[in-house]
Amino acid sequence: MSGKPKLYYFDGRGKMESIRWLLAAAGFEEEFLETRDQYEKLLQGGSLLFQQVPMVEMDGMRMVQTRAILSYIAAKYNLYGKDLKERALIDMYVGGTDDLMGFILMFPFLSVEDKEKQRAVIVQKATSRYFPVYEKVLKDHGQDFLVGNNFSWADVHLLEAILMVEEKKSDVLSGFPQLQAFKARMSSIPTIKKFLEPGSQRKPVPDDKYVETVRRVLCMYYDVKAN
């Protein structure tokens, strides 16, 4: 285990996408899970501590549990604040963004009818509960970033969430001028700009092929219900 971090997951977003965002500047390799046999091999080899992916090979470790992986990457690349207070704020903002993204994560696995219901839920939650918080934070301190006026994990996570919600409603930021400016600033950061360009390792909106692959590899034969 040396060189660039190596990611083990499906060829799609899911829980790995936030990890890809944080690693965009460092670069990484990927092994896509396409068959049940690949997954079973990882299980039998003891690589999946809790029998689940994402899994990342990095710095001589095989890391699982998305939050632990993200925390490690954020700390390694100085995206986790300068002290405990800033780290607590970053954790708080990331936790809120995670809650919002949780409404989006299972969206591809819903029925057509449930997708329409969930789309409305996602937009409602974003515009009434989550985006107003970040809008106020940015307005109150008048700085470019959420914590300590320094680029952090919280900013990367929020931009990812904004773009995901915009895929559900393109004008969702119309009532949030601070977030519009934040999105523009973040998108112009060279590493982020490169990750947003066509041909990068950023994954597209999950399609039917992705859904079928995940169901096959994980033996997901039940119906997912909307929140």
Side-chain angles (χ1 to χ4, degrees):
M1 289 182 283
S2 61
K4 292 182 178 180
K6 186 171 182 179
L7 282 50
Y8 293 80
Y9 200 66
F10 309 101
D11 188 7
R13 289 183 182 175
K15 291 188 175 183
M16 186 65 88
E17 191 69 354
S18 294
I19 297 168
R20 296 185 184 107
W21 273 84
L22 272 192
L23 282 174
F28 55 89
E29 300 173 351
E30 298 191 79
E31 180 171 318
F32 298 126
L33 302 181
E34 299 176 339
T35 67
R36 181 69 185 182
D37 285 345
Q38 286 177 284
Y39 184 65
E40 292 285 354
K41 184 177 180 180
L42 289 175
L43 289 173
Q44 293 165 10
S47 296
L48 305 183
L49 188 62
F50 298 107
Q51 302 180 25
Q52 62 191 36
V53 288
M55 192 266 282
V56 174
E57 288 184 351
M58 184 176 181
D59 295 342
M61 298 184 291
R62 290 188 176 95
M63 293 186 288
V64 295
Q65 291 295 334
T66 308
R67 186 60 182 255
I69 297 168
L70 288 167
S71 296
Y72 180 83
I73 295 168
K76 178 180 175 70
Y77 294 106
N78 299 314
L79 298 172
Y80 213 171
K82 68 178 185 297
D83 54 33
L84 284 175
K85 183 177 179 180
E86 288 193 356
R87 182 167 293 195
L89 289 171
I90 289 168
D91 282 339
M92 186 168 62
Y93 296 147
V94 167
T97 307
D98 267 342
D99 291 344
L100 172 58
M101 293 171 76
F103 292 102
I104 304 172
L105 185 64
M106 297 308 294
F107 185 86
F109 299 88
L110 300 175
S111 67
V112 174
E113 288 184 1
D114 282 342
K115 280 182 178 178
E116 290 310 306
K117 296 176 184 177
Q118 190 71 350
R119 189 187 309 274
V121 169
I122 291 166
V123 172
Q124 190 274 328
K125 295 291 186 183
T127 56
S128 68
R129 179 180 296 183
Y130 298 102
F131 287 174
V133 171
Y134 302 118
E135 180 79 5
K136 186 176 187 301
V137 169
L138 291 166
K139 183 177 181 180
D140 285 352
H141 64 40
Q143 298 173 340
D144 288 345
F145 304 109
L146 288 172
V147 179
N149 203 28
N150 286 309
F151 178 50
S152 77
W153 174 19
D155 302 301
V156 179
H157 213 46
L158 178 55
L159 177 62
E160 181 189 0
I162 287 172
L163 296 178
M164 290 171 70
V165 178
E166 284 186 328
E167 290 170 350
K168 304 294 180 277
K169 189 176 190 295
S170 60
D171 64 347
V172 72
L173 290 186
S174 60
F176 301 97
Q178 295 293 330
L179 288 181
Q180 291 177 41
F182 170 84
K183 175 190 168 186
R185 283 194 301 274
M186 287 290 295
S187 299
S188 67
I189 293 173
T191 53
I192 298 294
K193 183 178 180 180
K194 184 176 180 181
F195 191 63
L196 292 173
E197 291 174 350
S200 78
Q201 288 174 290
R202 183 186 180 212
K203 303 305 177 188
V205 177
D207 57 14
D208 291 342
K209 180 181 179 182
Y210 166 77
V211 170
E212 176 55 33
T213 299
V214 174
R215 288 186 182 277
R216 182 177 64 253
V217 172
L218 299 183
C219 297
M220 288 175 55
Y221 300 120
Y222 55 87
D223 291 329
V224 177
K225 299 298 182 182
N227 289 306

